[in-house]
Amino acid sequence: MSIAANKDGNAPIGLFDSGIGGLSVYLHLAQQLPVERYIYYADTLHLPYGDRESKEIEAFTLTAVDWLYKQGCKLIVIACNSASAYGLDAARRCYPHLPIVGLVPALKPAILASKSGHVAVLATKATLNGMLLNQVIADIALPNQTEVTKYFDPQLVPWVESGMPETSETAQRLRQQVRAFATDDIDYLVLGCTHYPFFRAFLVDEINAQQLSMQVIDSGQAIATRVQSLLAKQNLLATPENSIACRNDKKHPLVFYASKYDDRLDGVVRRLLGAQTQIEYVF
Ligand code: DGL
C-alpha cells in the first residue's frame, strides 16, 4: 500500500496521545513553530494505554494515525511513549511517505549527564517493558556503567487527567518517592510519559523543599526541534507569508478531537494550556 503524504506547507501537524498528556509536547511545538496549524487526537475512550497489551496499543495507534492522515496532516507526532513503543513501526510501515515522529523517554541525555551513575525513568508499564527504552538501556546505560531504576505508578496518568489535586494520595506518594530516589543517590529523573511534564513543577518544588540535588528532564523540547528540522528538510514549514492567521497576527486555534468527550475535559485542557490558547473542539 503506498499512501501519498500531504506536501502542502499549510497543512496541519497531527498529534496523538491516549489522553491529554501529548499537550505537553504540543506546548513545545506551539512555542517553537507558532505559525503552524495543529490537530490533536486524544483517545480518551481507551485511556490509559499503559496497562494494555502491545497488540491493542498498536491497533489504537493505527486508528489514530489513520484519522490524522485523513485530516490531511503533513507530519504526525505520536506524542505518547506507550503508543510509540508498540505502534510507531507499524504506523511507519502503513504510511511510508508520511513523516511520523515517535517518543522515547529522554534517558540517553540523563545517562550521559549523570554524575552519580544512577538515574530513574518514570513511565507506564508498557513503555518500561517496550523495546525502544530497553534498547537505550542496552546501548547507552550498560556501556556507561549507569544504573537505571524503572518507576511506575498506575495512578499518575489518572491524577494528571483529573487536574493533579495536591492533597491526593498520589501526590503524597510522589513526594515520598522523591525522597526514596535521593536516598538511592539518583541524580536524574526522566519523565518518560507525556502526561508527566505537567507535574514537573510539583517535583521541582519538592526537590527544592527537601534541598536535594536532582534534575528532571523530558523529551518535549527535543521533539519540537526534530519536527522543525524534518519539516525544514522537506520544505514543509508553514511561513507567515502563506498563513492567513499569522498575517492577522493571530495563532491558529488548536483543533482538538477526543474519542470520548466528557464535561470535565475542556476545563482540564484549558488549565494545562493556559486561558489564552484558542481551542476548537471536533465531535
Ligand atoms: N501519555 C502516555 C505516554 O506517554 C500514556 C498514558 C497512558 O495512557 O497510560 O506513555
Side-chain angles (χ1 to χ4, degrees):
M1 172 173 51
S2 176
I3 298 175
N6 195 337
K7 292 292 175 198
D8 176 2
N10 283 322
I13 294 172
L15 288 117
F16 152 60
D17 181 45
S18 57
I20 55 178
L23 292 175
S24 65
V25 180
Y26 164 74
L27 285 170
H28 284 282
L29 280 164
Q31 193 174 16
Q32 191 149 327
L33 298 168
V35 306
E36 298 288 344
R37 292 168 55 204
Y38 296 94
I39 301 189
Y40 189 94
Y41 179 112
D43 191 10
T44 41
L45 182 62
H46 302 113
L47 174 90
Y49 279 12
D51 291 331
R52 290 183 180 273
E53 291 300 317
S54 56
K55 279 289 158 201
E56 209 176 12
I57 298 177
E58 180 185 292
F60 294 150
T61 305
L62 289 179
T63 302
V65 169
D66 188 57
W67 188 88
L68 289 167
Y69 167 74
K70 287 183 176 139
Q71 304 300 307
C73 292
K74 60 182 176 184
L75 178 148
I76 292 174
V77 181
I78 301 183
C80 173
N81 292 267
S82 312
S84 298
Y86 300 106
L88 180 61
D89 282 350
R92 284 181 174 155
R93 272 198 305 276
C94 289
Y95 302 90
H97 303 297
L98 182 67
I100 303 179
V101 175
L103 262 83
V104 62
L107 191 54
K108 182 176 172 182
I111 293 166
L112 298 180
S114 173
K115 297 215 166 22
S116 67
H118 193 176
V119 304
V121 55
L122 290 69
T124 66
K125 203 153 61 175
T127 300
L128 294 176
N129 291 336
M131 268 271 292
L132 290 179
L133 180 77
N134 287 294
Q135 200 63 51
V136 179
I137 295 177
D139 293 348
I140 316 287
L142 291 181
N144 283 283
Q145 280 126 38
T146 301
E147 189 180 343
V148 177
T149 289
K150 294 176 172 178
Y151 178 77
F152 164 59
D153 177 344
Q155 288 312 313
L156 287 175
V157 166
W159 183 55
V160 174
E161 293 275 334
S162 67
M164 298 177 289
E166 290 208 2
T167 50
S168 72
E169 277 178 26
T170 307
Q172 194 46 32
R173 229 176 7 258
L174 206 49
R175 288 190 187 96
Q176 284 164 1
Q177 192 55 45
V178 167
R179 272 190 284 278
F181 287 144
T183 307
D184 288 344
D185 207 17
I186 286 169
D187 61 354
Y188 273 82
L189 301 184
V190 179
L191 303 181
C193 168
T194 52
H195 280 74
Y196 299 177
F198 287 117
F199 59 73
R200 186 176 190 282
F202 173 90
L203 284 176
V204 170
D205 284 352
E206 199 52 36
I207 289 166
N208 292 339
Q210 295 183 36
Q211 299 185 320
L212 305 172
S213 165
M214 224 182 261
Q215 306 296 318
V216 185
I217 63 170
D218 65 74
S219 350
Q221 185 54 53
I223 292 299
T225 303
R226 171 92 185 119
V227 168
Q228 182 164 29
S229 92
L230 271 177
L231 291 178
K233 220 191 281 170
Q234 302 196 16
N235 225 1
L236 281 177
L237 282 167
T239 57
E241 287 74 45
N242 64 17
S243 159
I244 295 163
C246 282
R247 271 207 301 273
N248 297 337
D249 208 25
K250 263 170 60 194
K251 274 191 187 175
H252 292 286
L254 168 66
V255 176
F256 191 101
Y257 168 80
S259 51
K260 182 179 139 213
Y261 188 81
D262 78 48
D263 295 347
R264 290 174 316 112
L265 195 62
D266 181 49
V268 178
V269 170
R270 284 186 189 282
R271 208 156 76 88
L272 297 179
L273 294 183
Q276 77 292 350
T277 307
Q278 296 289 318
I279 305 164
E280 193 182 297
Y281 288 97
V282 182
F283 298 102

